[in-house]
Amino acid sequence: MNRDDERAAGGAMDGTAAFRRRAAFLNRRSFLAGSAAGVGVLGLAGCGTSDSLLLAEASKTYGPMPNEKFPIPAVDISKVDPKYYRRTVSYETKEAPGTIIVDPGKFYVYRVEGDGTATRYGANVGRDGFLWSGDAYVGRKSEWATWTPPKEMIRRQPEAAKYARGMPGGLDNPLGARTLHLYKNGAYTLYTIYASSEPDTIGSGITSGCVGLLTQDMIHLYARTPVKTKVVVLPA
């Protein structure tokens, strides 16, 4: 994520608890707006499946994760266009297996599998004026990391000043459950691929250059991505 983009995953909660949690902390979407499966569960693109099967598989893929340090709730898949569900697709590329390819124009992130396929994830990406492209690599990885808003963000959003000394990892931390920090030429770019707990943002441009996946998708990608993995961001 860039300077102002660090997001959080949610915990197991009902609608009322979720509302209270949102009221207690800074709105995560404001952070975004102000900030600079081995094999996919649904098979290769083109394989037919009924709507009911699609939803049943998605419910399993995006179900709760109670064994996390901060238990993660199920995704409300009714808020996600089915085209953004995780799946394995045909994907021809010269990039090596394991490479992550971000296609911001289509709101997809691909992990190259090396056999003419890729695992594809739906994503949110940078809003107009904050899109970028080029090569980078995963310089470090974080689980439930502390988030500290940069000075530039605090100037734009004074309410973030309360976290100037850092917000501990947790359900409302903008870094999310997992984060891949992107580097180039040995320097941190301030961009990340991070976990989003807001399913209605998938398939939209809302960040300042970071790329968000549903938390369950991010955990899936994170587990298969070592440090030094190449990341290619395509032009939008």
Side-chain angles (χ1 to χ4, degrees):
M1 168 178 321
N2 64 15
R3 293 184 175 147
D4 300 351
D5 272 298
E6 304 286 347
R7 301 279 304 247
M13 63 182 81
D14 60 21
T16 300
F19 176 83
R20 290 172 180 167
R21 191 174 287 281
R22 285 174 181 270
F25 293 92
L26 290 177
N27 181 279
R28 287 196 294 261
R29 190 168 300 178
S30 72
F31 290 149
L32 285 174
S35 76
V39 175
V41 298
L42 300 178
L44 293 175
C47 293
T49 183
S50 67
D51 289 345
S52 59
L53 178 58
L54 187 72
L55 292 174
E57 292 289 354
S59 295
K60 293 178 182 178
T61 301
Y62 298 111
M65 304 183 77
N67 295 324
E68 277 287 318
K69 179 179 180 180
F70 301 97
I72 296 168
V75 173
D76 183 350
I77 57 175
S78 69
K79 295 182 178 180
V80 183
D81 189 317
K83 69 183 181 181
Y84 296 125
Y85 294 164
R86 185 198 317 164
R87 66 178 69 199
T88 298
V89 298
S90 297
Y91 194 77
E92 296 297 332
T93 178
K94 295 180 180 179
E95 299 294 344
T99 301
I100 295 172
I101 300 176
V102 179
D103 187 343
K106 295 181 179 179
F107 305 103
Y108 288 131
V109 170
Y110 299 87
R111 181 191 185 272
V112 178
E113 301 299 342
D115 55 359
T117 69
T119 302
R120 190 182 72 188
Y121 309 88
N124 62 45
V125 299
R127 65 189 186 274
D128 289 345
F130 289 87
L131 291 167
W132 63 283
S133 62
D135 293 352
Y137 63 91
V138 176
R140 60 188 174 93
K141 301 168 61 172
S142 299
E143 296 188 20
W144 301 108
T146 297
W147 172 71
T148 303
K151 294 178 181 179
E152 294 84 355
M153 179 182 178
I154 293 174
R155 284 197 294 268
R156 286 191 292 270
Q157 296 176 255
E159 68 272 20
K162 67 176 72 176
Y163 302 117
R165 295 186 178 180
M167 175 192 284
L171 301 176
D172 291 274
N173 185 302
L175 279 170
R178 304 287 191 277
T179 307
L180 300 177
H181 303 264
L182 305 186
Y183 282 63
K184 188 169 185 175
N185 299 323
Y188 182 32
T189 65
L190 301 178
Y191 295 115
T192 68
I193 304 174
Y194 68 97
S196 173
S197 60
E198 296 184 15
D200 57 327
T201 68
I202 301 301
S204 63
I206 63 167
T207 78
S208 293
C210 293
V211 177
L213 307 184
L214 292 169
T215 298
Q216 285 82 345
D217 283 345
M218 188 61 212
I219 290 175
H220 182 266
L221 177 63
Y222 183 97
R224 305 169 72 213
T225 302
V227 170
K228 302 300 184 183
T229 293
K230 182 179 180 180
V231 177
V232 178
V233 181
L234 303 175

